[in-house]
Amino acid sequence: MQIRWYHSLTLRLLLLFWALLFAVASSGFLLAIWYAQPETAKPLPQEVQETLSPLLSDQVTFSSLTPGRLLAGNYRVAAAVTPEEGPNRLQLEPNLANTHRRELLRQLDADQPEQLRLPNGMLVGPFVLNTQRILLIRPLSEDERVDQQVNSRRAEQAQTMVLLFGSLLIAVLLGIWLVLPLKRLISATREIAAGADKLHLKRLPRRTDELGELARALETAAHDLKVSRDAQRRLLSDVSHELRSPLARMQVALMLSQDDENPDANPHLTQMSRDVDRLGTIIERILSLSRLENGLVKLDPQPVNTHDLAKTLAADLAYVDAKYGERVLVLDADWPTTATDDELLRLVIENLVRNALQYTAGIIELDCVRHDEKHFTILVRDHGDGVPEAQLAQLFEPFFRGDPSRHHKAGVGLGMALSLRAANVLGGSVTARNHPEGGLEVSVNLPIVPIDTITEDEPTDTEASAQEPQESN
């Protein structure tokens, strides 16, 4: 859907910033005006009036007072209204007239003597004699100056608080309107990476701006990727499954074609037999990987002694090839007993051990580390040359085989990938690193599941042991 210009996120952000900044600036300006308003005039104290009245009772003295003249003490004339008619009837002290003309005129018209505090002095008056009026001004006292500074600081603090809370309001609104949707989009991309086809975007796709368009695009991408992955996995599984039948017939035909007394008489049939077996292994691995990725493997949790499982695996490998038994070493450690799927756990460890046997010629160590009551790690370490650091992250990719030119007997690159997928199904993970003392060390991190979590309909360890003699008989 095409975004109209008035739905543009850029335009909305500009308008939002302008509105919020205008609101903050207006609040500060109005607050400054409020605190900058002139103080109201107060009645003149009686003691001041009694002190000045005798000095202003003489007509000659009263008429001789002009703006700027010192009357008594620190009182000076600020303004005067003479009985003469004409432009000189109103006389104002020049400096005060430039800054406080309005206050001087308002004070001259007062009905009774008052005092008004100005930034540079205290205005006193008016004093009236016949038709003449004068205003006096004196410097502010120390207490009055301190009080004025306190009021000024309060005004500055109020303006600072308005700006602070205004900026906080901007941050909160932007966080609600912009940052939270961005976090939802980040979470949605992670959900896509995890394979989800339905994203938790809430009302974000309904927005008409660029963020809404991006949310809708992510929903479409998630659905398309899900369909593509499912089709790819289904194709891989179907092709592998369809290949099993003709492959089985080829194996039977090769067995019938070989001479039982001298099976190596025809090297071509021998080579073909090895290739067919190898192809069968590849197809079986692909099918196993496909079942794991499509969630077709159903867990059958049983009480599993991981140390016994590792010992049994080593014994099975020795039975197949005595040299394998000499190379696989199960270390004595704190191996836990956990409720898990023994076949899937064996699949994880066996693939890692076989991979180490194929790529190296030394001892393969199986060790275990219990971190706490809920987690443990099985370590599979070889004593080979290790893996280049740049390839460690690729070890668990399907069909990755490192440097096949150096390992002609190596597998097809599915063992490590299969172990990782199986460990994920068990609720764990698999990582690899080059051991500081040499060789590659693969860590299988798994949870310890209490035995009492197994449901009653699942066979217990006692029932399984009781069934084994009957089956062997």
Side-chain angles (χ1 to χ4, degrees), residues 284-326:
E284 187 62 33
R285 293 282 180 85
I286 292 176
L287 286 174
S288 299
L289 186 62
S290 177
R291 285 194 293 268
L292 287 174
E293 289 182 337
N294 286 283
L296 301 179
V297 176
K298 185 178 180 180
L299 295 180
D300 183 20
Q302 300 291 334
V304 177
N305 187 312
T306 54
H307 185 258
D308 293 345
L309 179 65
K311 284 284 190 180
T312 303
L313 173 60
D316 292 345
L317 292 174
Y319 180 81
V320 176
D321 191 332
K323 294 182 179 179
Y324 285 175
E326 297 174 357

Side-chain angles (χ1 to χ4, degrees), residues 79 81 90 92 103-110 126 133-135:
V81 178
L90 176 63
L92 303 176
E103 289 81 358
L104 292 174
L105 296 177
R106 184 169 57 245
Q107 194 72 11
L108 282 171
D109 291 336
R133 289 172 176 259
I134 64 170
L135 292 177

Side-chain angles (χ1 to χ4, degrees), residues 334-455:
D334 189 9
W335 295 79
T337 298
T338 179
T340 187
D341 191 305
D342 56 344
E343 290 297 332
L344 207 55
L345 180 57
R346 178 188 171 102
L347 175 67
V348 175
I349 303 174
E350 183 175 1
N351 277 284
L352 297 177
V353 173
R354 288 186 179 276
N355 185 78
L357 291 171
Q358 291 174 348
Y359 277 86
T360 63
I363 296 296
I364 311 300
E365 297 179 355
L366 288 178
D367 197 2
C368 183
V369 176
R370 184 187 294 209
H371 304 290
D372 47 40
E373 295 300 324
K374 295 183 179 180
H375 301 88
F376 73 103
T377 299
I378 297 176
L379 303 174
V380 181
R381 180 196 170 192
D382 61 50
H383 290 76
D385 298 331
V387 176
E389 293 292 334
Q391 295 182 357
L392 284 175
Q394 299 177 278
L395 289 178
F396 302 99
E397 296 180 1
F399 302 105
F400 178 77
R401 294 197 301 161
D403 186 1
S405 62
R406 297 173 53 191
H407 307 282
H408 300 288
K409 295 183 180 180
V412 296
L414 286 174
M416 301 282 280
L418 192 58
S419 295
L420 176 62
R421 303 312 196 270
N424 291 338
V425 173
L426 293 174
S429 62
V430 181
T431 58
R433 66 159 187 159
N434 287 314
H435 197 276
E437 299 179 3
L440 179 68
E441 182 181 69
V442 182
S443 302
V444 183
N445 307 298
L446 294 168
I448 299 178
V449 182
I451 306 301
D452 54 12
T453 59
I454 302 176
T455 57

Side-chain angles (χ1 to χ4, degrees), residues 1-20:
M1 182 180 67
Q2 186 178 3
I3 298 177
R4 301 183 182 274
W5 66 269
Y6 49 83
H7 289 158
S8 172
L9 179 63
T10 302
L11 180 60
R12 290 184 174 184
L13 283 176
L14 289 176
L15 292 176
L16 178 63
F17 273 116
W18 177 82
L20 293 177

Side-chain angles (χ1 to χ4, degrees), residues 133-306:
R133 289 172 176 259
I134 64 170
L135 292 177
L136 302 179
I137 189 170
R138 63 169 175 83
L140 295 176
S141 65
E142 186 64 26
D143 293 340
E144 293 170 341
R145 190 177 295 107
V146 170
D147 185 60
Q148 189 178 51
Q149 292 175 354
V150 169
N151 290 338
S152 178
R153 283 195 299 268
R154 288 178 179 174
E156 294 176 356
Q157 292 174 357
Q159 294 177 18
T160 302
M161 295 301 294
V162 168
L163 293 176
L164 179 62
F165 283 103
S167 60
L168 179 61
L169 177 63
I170 293 176
V172 171
L173 291 179
L174 287 179
I176 296 175
W177 192 66
L178 184 61
V179 177
L180 289 181
L182 289 178
K183 288 186 176 181
R184 288 199 189 102
L185 292 174
I186 293 174
S187 178
T189 56
R190 292 173 180 167
E191 292 175 2
I192 292 176
D197 59 338
K198 294 183 179 180
L199 308 179
H200 297 84
L201 293 172
K202 297 185 178 179
R203 298 176 57 88
L204 191 55
R206 300 181 184 179
R207 292 180 58 153
T208 57
D209 55 10
E210 287 84 350
L211 290 178
E213 185 178 18
L214 178 58
R216 292 188 292 273
L218 285 177
E219 285 186 330
T220 303
H223 179 267
D224 293 345
L225 287 174
K226 180 69 174 179
V227 171
S228 177
R229 282 194 299 265
D230 291 344
Q232 181 181 7
R233 293 171 182 172
R234 188 164 52 251
L235 176 63
L236 186 62
S237 177
D238 293 345
V239 170
S240 301
H241 186 271
E242 292 299 327
L243 289 175
R244 297 181 71 180
S245 297
L247 187 64
R249 291 193 294 270
M250 290 174 62
Q251 290 175 331
V252 173
L254 285 173
M255 292 174 58
L256 296 175
S257 302
Q258 288 180 336
D259 188 355
D260 295 337
E261 297 180 358
N262 189 8
D264 297 330
N266 191 336
H268 301 295
L269 291 177
T270 302
Q271 179 64 39
M272 186 179 296
S273 179
R274 286 198 297 267
D275 291 341
V276 169
D277 291 339
R278 182 180 175 84
L279 183 58
T281 301
I282 294 174
I283 293 175
E284 187 62 33
R285 293 282 180 85
I286 292 176
L287 286 174
S288 299
L289 186 62
S290 177
R291 285 194 293 268
L292 287 174
E293 289 182 337
N294 286 283
L296 301 179
V297 176
K298 185 178 180 180
L299 295 180
D300 183 20
Q302 300 291 334
V304 177
N305 187 312
T306 54

